């Protein structure tokens, strides 16, 4: 973990402790409140909160807490990560080229993370949700994005990748 990531994690924990928020109750909404708070947290500054990379590090830390079992995730929330290997095999079997395969996998990983962060139940995965994903202002705590989004294609790529992944999940039951 980088020094910036450690600083972001410590700052987030200090903010949560100051508000008497239990670690098990932290979620994406708490990260949003943290990002908007009027910082008077001692050695930390409000300028850090305006840096999207800083908030992304906080989201990565929240993901770590969830993976480690420190953050409560309701049972009905979709955990799509375990289905990525099957989706990868399915894509390879479809004969997609390397660029399309990589794009679909990247967006599937991104969609899985986005859905988990927002605690979305599997039963709510529909066209409207895919549209929300396609148009969200991304500060997700993942490293699947490969370079800068091309104007006019980013939302289409997100939509195509999420749609393909959700279709695969439906076929798998």
């Amino acid at each position: 973990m980088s020094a910036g990531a450690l600083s972001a994690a410590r700052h987030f924990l200090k903010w949560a402790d100051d508000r008497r928020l239990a670690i098990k109750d932290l979620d994406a909404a708490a990260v949003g409140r943290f990002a908007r708070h009027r910082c008077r947290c001692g050695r930390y500054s409000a300028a850090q909160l305006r840096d999207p990379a800083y908030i992304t590090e906080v989201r990565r830390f929240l993901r770590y807490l969830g993976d480690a079992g420190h953050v409560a995730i309701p049972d009905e929330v979709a955990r799509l990560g375990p289905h990525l290997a099957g989706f990868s095999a399915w894509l390879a079997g479809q004969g997609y080229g390397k660029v399309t395969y990589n794009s679909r996998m990247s967006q599937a990983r991104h969609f899985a993370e986005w859905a988990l962060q927002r605690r979305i139940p599997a039963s709510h995965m529909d066209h409207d949700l895919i549209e929300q994903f396609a148009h969200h202002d991304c500060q997700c705590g993942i490293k699947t994005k490969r370079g800068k989004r091309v104007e006019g294609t980013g939302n289409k790529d997100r939509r195509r990748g999420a749609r393909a992944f959700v279709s695969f999940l439906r076929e798998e039951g």
Side-chain angles (χ1 to χ4, degrees):
M1 203 180 244
S2 71
L6 287 172
S7 173
R10 284 191 304 267
H11 189 178
F12 182 55
L13 289 175
K14 177 177 182 9
W15 172 85
D17 187 52
D18 288 350
R19 282 149 187 81
R20 299 194 184 348
L21 296 173
I23 289 177
K24 68 179 181 59
D25 296 329
L26 297 175
D27 60 9
V31 174
R33 289 191 311 273
F34 168 74
R36 293 185 305 274
H37 86 276
R38 294 174 60 186
C39 187
R40 292 189 178 99
C41 301
R43 66 183 186 179
Y44 304 104
S45 76
Q48 293 170 304
L49 300 172
R50 290 188 294 273
D51 180 0
Y54 192 77
I55 301 304
T56 296
E57 293 297 351
V58 172
R59 290 185 194 285
R60 282 192 187 115
F61 179 62
L62 181 63
R63 175 60 189 260
Y64 164 77
L65 291 173
D67 290 348
H70 299 296
V71 172
I73 299 174
D75 290 338
E76 70 273 5
V77 169
R79 288 167 180 81
L80 304 176
H83 300 285
L84 289 168
F87 182 63
S88 174
W90 180 83
L91 281 175
Q94 298 298 309
Y96 286 114
K98 183 178 179 180
V99 171
T100 302
Y101 169 86
N102 287 339
S103 176
R104 296 293 190 281
M105 280 305 300
S106 176
Q107 294 307 333
R109 283 190 294 276
H110 188 180
F111 181 77
E113 177 66 19
W114 178 82
L116 182 64
Q117 282 183 8
R118 281 153 188 77
R119 307 296 193 250
I120 297 171
S123 62
H124 290 117
M125 299 210 174
D126 59 12
H127 174 75
D128 291 338
L129 185 73
I130 291 170
E131 283 303 307
Q132 287 176 27
F133 168 72
H135 294 282
H136 80 278
D137 180 21
C138 187
Q139 291 182 353
C140 299
I142 57 171
K143 292 185 178 187
T144 64
K145 295 171 222 77
R146 298 166 288 128
K148 298 205 181 279
R149 292 177 64 195
V150 177
E151 188 67 33
T153 63
N155 294 346
K156 291 176 186 174
D157 286 344
R158 282 183 183 172
R159 187 180 301 114
R160 279 191 291 262
R163 196 178 298 143
F165 188 42
V166 169
S167 292
F168 166 79
L169 293 170
R170 285 186 185 131
E171 287 177 19
E172 294 292 306

